[in-house]
Amino acid sequence: MEQILIRQINDVMKFVSEYEDEFVRQVMERGTTEHLKQTSSLKKTIDTAKRRIEQIDSVISQLYEDKVAGEITAEMFTKLSAKYIAEQEEQSAALKVSQRELAALETKKTDTTKFIDLVRKYSQITELTPQILNEFIDKVTVHQAVKVDGKRQQDIEVYFNGVGLISSDAEKKPETTE
């Protein structure tokens, strides 16, 4: 795993060093699209949760009025209100999680300049120290191993701090047109 990370970091560093403008364009293009999708999805989830919490408030109020008016029994009121209160607590918890995720997404905008400065700081990495690991790598996703043509294959995705997942396609030399 260590050798894979060293190779990935060096490959990305080489690409950034040789094709900085192309790297910035690719990261910004990808980051903007992903950011907009995630932001839109989270905002939709937040709006839905807020609306449902308001609906439940109305339902509980109506239940109370029905109880006071004698239209439902105290036992029925207790049973129904407990059900709605539990749902409201679930919705409130989900709302808080989504709001935190949205706030984190807003503050974690792609920071390509910081990443490029980091690449300039190192020329070639031969050893993976905790400092280098923490500076370059956000997370590593190791997928389930599968057999293809009798050989075991396992996909590993390396997410870099500030720029996210850099696919091997992004590291290829840009084509020049004349």
Side-chain angles (χ1 to χ4, degrees), residues 7 15 23 32 34 53-54 70 80 105 115-116 123 155 169:
R7 191 189 73 224
F15 179 76
F23 175 77
T32 302
E34 287 176 19
I53 290 168
E54 289 173 4
L80 290 172
L105 186 62
F115 186 79
I116 290 170
S123 58
D155 288 336
D169 293 342

Side-chain angles (χ1 to χ4, degrees), residues 13 16-17 114-123 136:
M13 286 175 48
V16 170
S17 297
K114 184 176 177 183
F115 186 79
I116 290 170
D117 290 342
L118 181 62
V119 166
R120 289 181 183 142
K121 181 178 170 181
Y122 297 96
S123 58
F136 276 96

Side-chain angles (χ1 to χ4, degrees), residues 98-110:
S98 294
Q99 287 172 328
R100 276 195 300 271
E101 287 176 6
L102 183 60
L105 186 62
E106 291 296 328
T107 58
K108 190 184 174 186
K109 290 186 178 176
T110 304

Side-chain angles (χ1 to χ4, degrees), residues 119-175:
V119 166
R120 289 181 183 142
K121 181 178 170 181
Y122 297 96
S123 58
Q124 180 78 14
I125 294 175
T126 56
E127 182 184 2
L128 193 61
T129 64
Q131 179 183 352
I132 290 172
L133 185 66
N134 289 327
E135 285 182 322
F136 276 96
I137 307 298
D138 178 31
K139 70 178 178 178
V140 176
T141 304
V142 180
H143 295 277
Q144 175 109 14
V146 294
K147 280 196 175 185
V148 178
D149 297 329
K151 294 182 182 178
R152 184 176 179 264
Q153 290 184 349
Q154 191 166 19
D155 288 336
I156 298 172
E157 296 174 335
V158 180
Y159 292 81
F160 292 88
N161 284 323
V163 294
L165 177 66
I166 306 295
S167 68
S168 56
D169 293 342
E171 297 167 21
K172 291 180 183 163
K173 192 192 303 188
E175 294 180 20

Side-chain angles (χ1 to χ4, degrees), residues 15 31 34 36 38 46 64 88 90 96 124 127 161 171:
F15 179 76
E34 287 176 19
L36 289 174
Q38 290 175 330
I46 289 168
Y64 180 75
Q88 191 172 42
E90 288 174 18
K96 287 178 184 173
Q124 180 78 14
E127 182 184 2
N161 284 323
E171 297 167 21

